Structure formats: structure tokens, C-alpha cells
Amino acid sequence: MPNASEKTDQSLLDDFVHRSDESSFAELTRRHQAMAFAAAYRICGDRAEAQDILQQALIVLARRAGELGEVRCLSAWLHRVVILEAKKARRKSHHRRVRETMAYQMNGPSREEPDFAPELDLSLNAMGEKDREVLTLHYLEGHTFKSIEQRLGGTADAWQKRSVRALEKLADKLRSRGVTVSTVALGAYFVSARAEAGVAASFLDSITRQALDEGAKSAARTLGKTAILLTMKTGIAISLTSGVLLAYGWGIVTRENPVTPAAAGAEARSEAGPETEPALRDKRDRGFSLELVRQAVSEYDGAEKPDPLAESRLRALMFLVPQKDLEEVFQILVATKDHRRFEQVVGALFGSWAERDPAAALARAKEAGDFSYQARRAVMVTWLNQDPEGALVVMLADKSNDDRGFLTEFVTYQCERKPQEAALLVDRVAKDWPEADRPLFERVAKLWSRTNALAAGDWVASYPDEEVKGKLLKAISKDVAKIRGFDGLAIANHITDEKARQEARNDAIYWWAVTCGGISLIPGEAKPVRDISGGFPDDWTSENIRTFAFATMVNYSKNLPDLLRIAKDDSQRILIYEGAVKGSGWSNPAAVSEAAEQLPDSFADTPEGKKTLKVFVRRWSEMDAAGVKTWLSRQSPGPKTDIMRAELETEGAK
């Protein structure tokens, strides 16, 4: 029989409901308390209040366990309960907070969360079910995608892709609340919030003991006993297994979710008086231990092979290093045996360093030896994110290939989120750094066109080099037309050379029709930017119409009647027939046999016409030799028929 730690959440919930198994409830609490407490703490910003919210959420879980039935994701459900309880607590404490604000401003903050922390969980709570599930399980609780697959079904790869999209949606929701934050910053924050668990596994016993002695004296006396009795203000009592809920210090002490010295010593420091150095980030300057870093680095350095999870934890730990300890932590990393193993960790350290003093971080990066490249990369990308103008001054002074690579990396990242700002950055380097300008210009233009094609086209049109501009506009117009039809033509219209512009328009029309020509012909089926069901635009040339018909038949030969329906006159119908016969050679010639019959005999007089008829009949013969012979036998003699019969005889002779 599996023990509690091996059971699923649903199994534990059933045991608690049907067998009154308190140890099962205790295991559920142990699994999810860190996530729940952290969410409450982010919203209210007060440790004691977060503990109360957590306790109240557990009461709700105990009360409603029998009503839940089959729960797809208990983590997401409990997170939502915490948010609701936090909102209630925040309303109740409004007047108290007004009074406390003065004391907060006088004594300095007990911590400094990122700007988005208070809104993070509220935004997450407003997302769709599956997005909440993957964000809660992976980012808040640290489950692998394989673990999520086992819990919720699907595949690990699908959950990983969903997590990326969900993180982007979360960043968008935060922006709608007036908080600008990148997905990279969100991911880093989530990792750092979980960094304590396991980073100092060898210190687990001593940390737990210290936390119990200093922060939870009454609870410590019960450690090792059968249960801890939580008596709530409402008078309801819940019995939990020992060690489950020791909510003192920043975190909650459990066997698998220990706290760092920051949490272990928090109560002792609060009794001694306010901190002398304000926190730059959550827990960064409160109880940080260099010995903790030495131990963690030593363990990773001595491991038989690199461990991605251990590296991730070390990177997160670097963002907790106080400014006064940055140099010493760097020396700890320099002293390692395998420098390649620690390159990303050093990058995280210098990224943290650059957040506070980019100039000093850059100066140190230049003298970082084996780590110079990674250190400078972290500094410059961080600097660009915080102060683009200041970072560019440094880059333009050196104009190194490395810096050009860092700038490209940042601009690519920025373009996916704030393309207009990325474009302004490229414009800034255009005059002083032409070697970096052109590749950056092309990259930004293509990325921007995916989200705002017309704005990207307008920006490209302002580029001074006509040749470069013309080629790029043609390439972008083709890609945009595949999805947004008329927008692709609008971009092509920016090309100043008449011949090049017509070629670009025709190319865009071809790719539009190949991709979604059939759908574009049906009223109500296509988006307005590619709806052509009302007829060909007046500014389309004969070649444009012929090309649209040709390319549509490549994938949508059944839509020939729809093409003919939008023709305004016989001349347009002839153009459609010509294009359809040519295009059907790539798909289904039999479907457009009517078009071949309607073509005038003069079509066979041109080299292109002869080639089209030959390909048409040859392709049909390959698919249905008897069918094409029967069809040809019914055709009246003439230039078209003679060419096709001759081609069929030649093929038969082969």
C-alpha cells in the first residue's frame, strides 16, 4: 500500500473525506502550503497576515473537501481560494493599513517585492483553467512538465508549449493592470521564489531546527508527535501531522520545503530592531549566508555531471546576493574546477549586479577572466532593459562583435513584446553603427510584421537605402499576404520602383491564394483583410487576376465555381480559365476541365499557353489516363485539342 507521499491529490482527498484520515489532509497541506503562503504574502505583503490567510484557506479546504468530488488540479483550486481569502483580508485591514503607512515610510520597508508582485496572483486568477493549472503547477510549485503530464494527461511537450503561451498571457494581463513586466522577468521571479527549496539540502536539519527554536517555539515542542492542533479564531480545530504547518519566518518549514537562513532568523532580527540596510529584493539582504553559497556551489562543482535543476536553483540564488557580497560570491565561482559548468550562474550574478550598478558590473566583467563573455553579456542585456540609452553609449564607444550580438539578442526579445521600442533602438544605432544597423533592421521588420504588419511596413518604407528597402518590403509583403491578404499588398505598395512594386504585388497575391485562396472566395468565411468574395479589386491587373486563379487552383481546385462567380465580365472569366488550367496541373486537372474547354483557341498560339496545355493533359494522364482520353475524344478539333492530343500520344509512346 503506497504511503501518503506517493498518493495523488485526489486519492488523499478521498481518504480524508471518506475515512477521516487526518494524515492525508496533512500531506495535501505539506504539498501545497508553500505555493499558497507565497501567493498570500505577495498580495498582502505582511507575514502574519499571510499566515492568517493560509490558515483560512485550509479551513475552506477542510470544510469543502466533501463537496469537491473529482478535482482536476487541486493546486489551482487552492490558489483561487487563497486569492479570495486575501481579497477579504485586504478589505478588512484597509483602515489598519492607513495607520501603518506612516510607520512603514519612517522605518523603511521590511522587504521590497518587484512592482508586479501584488498584482501577479490576481492576474493569474483571472486566466483560463488550463493556463492557471500549468502556471500554478510548474511555476508556483515547481513540477516538471512530465509530472504535469502524469497528473493531468496530455503530453509534456504540449504542457511546455502551453506554459510559454500562458506566461505571455499573464504578462499581458499584468500590462492591462498597468504593470509592465517581461516574461523573462516573470520566469526568473517564479524560480527565485522557489529557490530555497533544495538549494541547501545539506543544511535542512539545522535550518529547520533554527527556525523552530527562534520562530515557532510552541510548535517546536510538538515536532515528532503524532499531530499539531491548529485552533482557528472561528473555534474550528484541524488536526495535522507534525511538521506540516510551522508558518513562522518568511516561509513554512516542511521536510521538503525548508527555509533559508533569511526565514530562520527573521523573527530574531525583528525583535532586535529594523534592518540597517533596506532590502533590494525579496529576501536579498535579510539573513543571506555566504556559507550557504559555498556549500551549494561546492556540491554542484563536485557533482558527477551537470544537473539542470541544480543550475537553475543556483542561478536563482544569485539574484538574492546582497550588493556587499557580490564580489565575494564571484570569487567563490572563480574558484570552481569546471568553469564551463558555471557560466550561466555567473551570468545570473552579473545580471543581478547590473540591476543595481551597471557601470561597476561592466568594469568587473572586463576583468572576469574565463567568465568575461558571459558576465558582459548579462550586464549589457540587463542594462539595455533598464536604460537603453545608457547602454548604447557604451556599445557605440566599443562597437565590438560581442556587443553587436548582445544587442541583437535584446532587440529580438524586445521586438516580440515592444516592437516599436525595438525599432526606435535600431534607428538610434543606424547612423553611428551601420554594421549593426542592417541586420537589426531586417530582424525587427520581420518580427514586427507578425504582430502589426502595416506599422512595420511604414517603418521599413522610411529606410534610406532603396535597394535594401525594396527587397525587404517584397519579402515581408509575401509573408504577410499569406495570412492577411490585402495587408501584404499594402506593404508592397511602399516599393518606389514601379516594376519591382508590381512584381512584389503579384508575388504577394500568389502566396495569398496558395495559402487561403479558397476560403477568401466564400462570403463570411474569411477575415476582412483577405475577403475577396465581392470581386477582384479595381486596381488588380490582368496578371494579378490570372495569378490569383492559378495559385488558388494549386490547393483549392474545387473552388473554380467560386472564382468564376466573382468575375465581373468575360475578360476576367478568360483570365480565370487561363490561371485555373495552369494551376490545376499541380492538383486536380479533371476538376477544371470546363475551364480548358472555355479557353479560346488563341490561348494555344503563345508559348506559355502551349506549355500550360501540355502540362495540364500530361498531369491528368498520370492521375487518370482513361478519363483524360475520354474527355479528349469529346472535344472538337482545333489548336488546343491538337496540342493536347499530340502530347498525350507522345506520353503514350514513352
Side-chain angles (χ1 to χ4, degrees), residues 223-444:
L223 189 62
K225 296 182 179 179
T226 304
I228 293 177
L229 190 64
L230 286 178
T231 304
M232 308 301 179
K233 295 179 181 179
T234 57
I236 296 176
I238 304 176
S239 180
L240 303 178
T241 299
S242 62
V244 171
L245 188 64
L246 306 178
Y248 293 84
W250 190 89
I252 295 177
V253 182
T254 65
R255 185 173 59 257
E256 295 187 16
N257 186 47
V259 295
T260 63
E267 290 297 316
R269 288 193 301 279
S270 65
E271 294 174 3
E275 299 177 14
T276 58
E277 183 179 337
L280 293 169
R281 180 177 290 205
D282 179 31
K283 305 182 296 303
R284 179 182 276 166
D285 288 335
R286 298 196 298 159
F288 180 83
S289 169
L290 284 170
E291 185 58 34
L292 178 70
V293 175
R294 289 191 184 94
Q295 183 69 26
V297 169
S298 177
E299 289 179 356
Y300 186 52
D301 195 28
E304 183 177 347
K305 58 182 180 180
D307 178 1
L309 181 58
E311 182 190 274
S312 176
R313 289 168 172 166
L314 273 173
R315 291 203 311 269
L317 185 59
M318 295 302 100
F319 285 92
L320 308 181
V321 179
Q323 187 165 3
K324 61 185 176 60
D325 293 325
L326 288 167
E327 177 61 35
E328 190 159 357
V329 170
F330 179 55
Q331 291 304 323
I332 293 173
L333 296 172
V334 169
T336 56
K337 296 179 294 184
D338 187 354
H339 280 191
R340 291 188 62 184
R341 183 177 293 192
F342 286 88
E343 287 179 345
Q344 298 301 321
V345 179
V346 169
L349 178 68
F350 274 83
S352 177
W353 201 329
E355 283 183 343
R356 289 168 278 186
D357 191 344
L362 181 61
R364 188 65 184 89
K366 291 179 179 179
E367 307 298 329
D370 292 347
F371 293 122
S372 290
Y373 176 84
Q374 287 294 341
R376 185 179 180 94
R377 172 183 174 273
V379 171
M380 296 314 303
V381 171
T382 303
W383 201 344
L384 283 165
N385 190 47
Q386 293 188 154
D387 177 19
E389 187 63 31
L392 281 179
V393 169
V394 175
M395 287 185 158
L396 290 173
D398 294 343
K399 296 183 182 178
S400 68
N401 288 333
D402 285 345
D403 279 355
R404 186 167 66 180
F406 305 150
L407 181 60
T408 300
E409 179 184 349
F410 176 76
V411 165
T412 301
Y413 160 79
Q414 189 79 333
C415 197
E416 294 175 354
R417 292 151 185 83
K418 299 177 182 178
Q420 193 166 6
E421 291 186 15
L424 291 173
L425 201 61
V426 173
D427 288 341
R428 171 68 177 80
V429 303
K431 180 180 179 181
D432 298 323
W433 200 359
E435 298 86 356
D437 170 53
R438 180 168 172 178
L440 285 174
F441 168 70
E442 294 179 354
R443 182 180 291 265
V444 170

Side-chain angles (χ1 to χ4, degrees), residues 477-486 488-489 504-522 526 529-532 536 540 543-560 563 566 576 579-580 583 587:
S477 67
K478 177 187 73 175
D479 291 338
V480 171
K482 293 177 183 178
I483 303 173
R484 299 186 59 82
F486 287 113
L489 298 184
R505 282 176 56 86
N506 212 52
D507 199 28
I509 287 171
Y510 171 84
W511 286 105
W512 170 5
V514 165
T515 307
C516 54
I519 299 173
S520 300
L521 293 165
I522 303 174
V529 292
R530 62 187 188 202
D531 185 352
I532 201 172
F536 297 110
W540 279 32
E543 185 61 27
N544 293 158
I545 295 173
R546 187 185 294 110
T547 296
F548 190 89
F550 158 61
T552 298
M553 290 300 99
V554 170
N555 287 320
Y556 301 95
S557 57
K558 66 179 182 180
N559 290 107
L560 177 59
L563 267 172
I566 69 171
I576 290 172
S587 56

Side-chain angles (χ1 to χ4, degrees), residues 558-606:
K558 66 179 182 180
N559 290 107
L560 177 59
D562 297 307
L563 267 172
L564 293 169
R565 176 183 55 78
I566 69 171
K568 293 180 180 179
D569 49 37
D570 288 343
S571 62
Q572 286 193 354
R573 273 186 283 275
I574 294 298
L575 294 172
I576 290 172
Y577 290 144
E578 293 177 2
V581 172
K582 184 177 181 180
S584 68
W586 298 93
S587 56
N588 183 9
V592 298
S593 58
E594 177 192 352
E597 294 170 1
Q598 296 298 325
L599 284 173
D601 286 340
S602 59
F603 182 70
D605 295 338
T606 65

